[in-house]
Amino acid sequence: DTAVSQTPKYLVTQMGNDKSIKCEQNLGHDTMYWYKQDSKKFLKIMFSYNNKELIINETVPNRFSPKSPDKAHLNLHINSLELGDSAVYFCASSQDRLAGDLYEQFFGPGTRLTVL
Amino acid sequence: GDSVTQMEGPVTLSEEAFLTINCTYTATGYPSLFWYVQYPGEGLQLLLKATKADDKGSNKGFEATYRKETTSFHLEKGSVQVSDSAVYFCALRDTGGGNKLTFGTGTQLKVEL
């Protein structure tokens, strides 16, 4: 059973297009995250949602808009794609603070986005 | 702000060699510390963690000790295997809300026969 799944696995698109990446977790977690990993493997958090509420919003261009229809899903929509958006995007989930020290973040397999 | 510094890679070792990957951190308060591993083509997996000073995290033969005095959390393994080839990330979680992880730049390990 897949714990954290992402679709698509690969996404190749032209500059200026709008695209979405979907994430779903079946772990019953309350918190979900999006991370960006650049070509040098540097990993940085972008957003975090807890029970559909935005709780972390790092310095990310407003072309990136996360959407959480329910606590099991956190989708990432990107408008007007730029070359610098090419990266691997990872979704993750975790239990929340109220559940004790169950902070481990479980990561999805990643979506490799290539902007041409 | 918080930061994590890891040794530059790639690190290439022969099978059964001893591994050390250095990690130091800068943070206010008393963060929790983690090592994550990323195998080729996969997402990150938690390898081990330590939540307070002098704690030792261990898993699959890897271990790391939370050293507050040197702000370090070096990863070690006594005898590496080819299957350990991966990218290893040191990370900290600050004491604020949001369960935010700050990662180091990752260290690629390649183990050869």
Side-chain angles (χ1 to χ4, degrees):
Chain A
D1 291 340
T2 303
V4 183
S5 59
Q6 295 179 228
T7 54
K9 189 170 176 63
Y10 299 97
L11 183 54
V12 181
T13 188
Q14 300 286 332
M15 278 176 53
N17 284 351
D18 303 337
K19 291 293 178 184
S20 292
I21 306 172
K22 295 185 177 181
C23 177
E24 177 180 3
Q25 55 94 4
N26 62 5
L27 298 167
H29 288 164
D30 299 299
T31 306
M32 297 184 72
Y33 313 79
W34 277 109
Y35 288 86
K36 178 180 180 181
Q37 186 178 47
D38 64 22
S39 59
K40 296 184 179 180
K41 298 285 190 183
F42 183 64
L43 197 67
K44 186 172 171 57
I45 192 166
M46 301 172 68
F47 302 102
S48 170
Y49 268 73
N50 179 273
N51 279 318
K52 304 196 298 176
E53 181 182 348
L54 181 66
I55 55 173
I56 294 175
N57 184 356
E58 295 294 291
T59 307
V60 176
N62 58 15
R63 298 181 295 103
F64 289 79
S65 53
K67 286 185 171 53
S68 182
D70 55 61
K71 75 173 192 177
H73 296 83
L74 181 62
N75 303 323
L76 183 65
H77 189 76
I78 315 170
N79 290 326
S80 303
L81 278 156
E82 300 178 357
L83 292 176
D85 298 333
S86 295
V88 181
Y89 291 84
F90 287 100
C91 178
S93 73
S94 73
Q95 267 290 11
D96 64 18
R97 180 181 293 269
L98 294 177
D101 191 28
L102 298 175
Y103 293 114
E104 178 180 351
Q105 293 186 21
F106 293 80
F107 284 76
T111 295
R112 182 175 293 278
L113 171 65
T114 303
V115 182
L116 303 175
Chain B
D2 296 345
S3 66
V4 176
T5 302
Q6 285 180 240
M7 61 187 288
E8 291 274 338
V11 174
T12 302
L13 296 173
S14 298
E15 206 171 36
E16 299 183 1
F18 184 86
L19 168 71
T20 300
I21 300 178
N22 290 337
C23 171
T24 57
Y25 67 90
T26 302
T28 54
Y30 302 96
S32 295
L33 302 173
F34 305 82
W35 278 100
Y36 278 82
V37 58
Q38 184 180 25
Y39 297 103
E42 298 183 10
L44 279 72
Q45 301 173 26
L46 179 64
L47 181 59
L48 54 84
K49 68 177 181 181
T51 58
K52 61 183 186 296
D54 300 325
D55 268 2
K56 178 185 283 189
S58 60
N59 186 25
K60 299 181 181 179
F62 291 89
E63 58 182 35
T65 301
Y66 189 143
R67 301 283 188 202
K68 183 172 177 295
E69 64 277 13
T70 54
T71 61
S72 64
F73 193 55
H74 304 321
L75 182 69
E76 296 181 336
K77 185 174 186 182
S79 176
V80 293
Q81 306 299 312
V82 172
S83 58
D84 293 327
S85 298
V87 180
Y88 291 82
F89 291 89
C90 185
L92 69 80
R93 185 184 68 222
D94 64 24
T95 53
N99 199 14
K100 176 185 171 183
L101 287 176
T102 299
F103 286 89
T105 51
T107 302
Q108 183 166 10
L109 170 66
K110 183 177 180 182
V111 181
E112 300 175 331
L113 291 171

